Amino acid sequence: MTSTSHEQRNPYKGNPPRPWIRLRLRSFKDTLSEIDLLADTGSPFPIIISEASLLLLKRQAGTDMETNFGLLHGGWLELDMPELGLTQRVEGYGSDVVAATVRSSSPDFAGLAGLPLLRMLEYGGDTTSFWVRPAATS
Amino acid sequence: MTDKVELEKAQQRQLNQTAYRVLKEEIRQRYPRGRFVAISGGRIVADAEDIKALDPLLQAQGLYPPDVLVVQAGVDYPDFAIILSSLPRA
């Protein structure tokens, strides 16, 4: 991963190669955790991680959701990435099925970053890497 | 965490999820759209414009915020969602 003060650029990772983003989250106990998430515009949820990770990181509980990957347990997660303009809480979800599925691409992946989160940023890619940077302010 | 504590937490969780389904229309009518509403023990216990502002309100009541369900008034959560992921099922 390389970062300027305003861009995070990550070489594709896994088999097959996948785009990904590294997020920093602040837990209720005020600890910071960095997790690598597969970037997936096909996911309608901001963040999906394992049940155990959600239990450790959630600030408040969220609504549960039935999906084609089974039941997702909701939990509000606090982003701590001022360099990308991300300091708000987003409604994350816990699913061991989704977490195991993304780990089949790379054991480094802790889950999925979906379109609602990617839309908080600018994002793109080329032949070698995927990048995100703060959303342009108009 | 002991099995008993885990079971109690799971029961509380289910209680709050069910309570939200029952209270959803009332929440929509009572609160401005987007307002954050906290549910614990099957009932509304706090509300705030900013979700982070809920934490001290909940702690003042002796509640542990990670166990409290927080929803937004007027937000329509679908009954079922499709993740169009290119990943195969594990």
Side-chain angles (χ1 to χ4, degrees):
Chain A
M1 187 191 83
T2 60
S3 294
T4 64
S5 58
H6 300 295
E7 182 179 280
Q8 186 188 114
R9 182 174 286 266
N10 302 318
Y12 300 111
K13 178 156 63 174
N15 183 23
R18 302 288 190 182
W20 60 280
I21 175 175
R22 179 165 291 166
L23 291 184
R24 192 181 314 119
L25 302 170
R26 184 177 292 275
S27 74
F28 178 74
K29 295 186 176 170
D30 214 30
T31 56
L32 289 175
S33 297
E34 287 195 336
I35 54 174
D36 294 350
L37 300 176
L38 192 157
D40 184 1
T41 58
S43 173
F45 306 107
I47 296 172
I48 306 175
I49 51 180
S50 70
E51 298 266 15
S53 294
L54 186 75
L55 198 62
L56 284 174
L57 292 169
K58 67 176 180 177
R59 302 302 298 251
Q60 295 135 343
T63 51
D64 295 345
M65 188 73 65
E66 283 286 356
T67 73
N68 55 322
F69 276 78
L71 181 67
L72 309 187
H73 287 129
W76 292 88
L77 300 172
E78 185 162 308
L79 299 164
D80 194 305
M81 304 192 73
E83 67 273 26
L84 287 179
L86 299 179
T87 56
Q88 65 270 56
R89 288 191 192 171
V90 296
E91 201 157 9
Y93 292 87
S95 166
D96 288 342
V97 173
V98 172
T101 302
V102 298
R103 277 199 301 274
S104 68
S105 281
S106 168
D108 294 345
F109 292 147
L112 287 180
L115 188 60
L117 185 119
L118 296 172
R119 290 181 63 189
M120 295 177 189
L121 302 161
E122 290 184 3
Y123 62 93
D126 57 24
T127 54
T128 62
S129 56
F130 177 76
W131 55 261
V132 293
R133 52 185 179 226
T137 52
S138 54
Chain B
M1 198 181 296
T2 66
D3 289 345
K4 184 166 183 266
V5 170
E6 278 187 32
L7 182 61
E8 283 173 1
K9 280 184 176 282
Q11 287 172 339
Q12 278 300 308
R13 179 184 186 86
Q14 195 51 51
L15 174 67
N16 293 332
Q17 296 288 330
T18 302
Y20 171 59
R21 287 194 289 274
V22 172
L23 292 168
K24 186 175 177 179
E25 184 56 26
E26 178 187 334
I27 290 171
R28 190 188 69 78
Q29 291 183 6
R30 266 179 67 184
Y31 298 95
R33 181 177 172 79
R35 188 142 180 113
F36 293 95
V37 178
I39 299 172
S40 179
R43 60 187 184 87
I44 295 170
V45 294
D47 65 281
E49 189 176 335
D50 182 325
I51 191 172
K52 296 183 185 181
L54 279 175
D55 287 346
L57 299 178
L58 298 174
Q59 289 174 291
Q61 298 180 48
L63 297 171
Y64 181 58
D67 287 343
V68 177
L69 173 61
V70 173
V71 299
Q72 272 190 285
V75 171
D76 216 4
Y77 298 96
D79 293 329
F80 188 90
I82 303 244
I83 301 172
L84 293 170
S85 176
S86 61
L87 296 169
R89 291 294 302 274

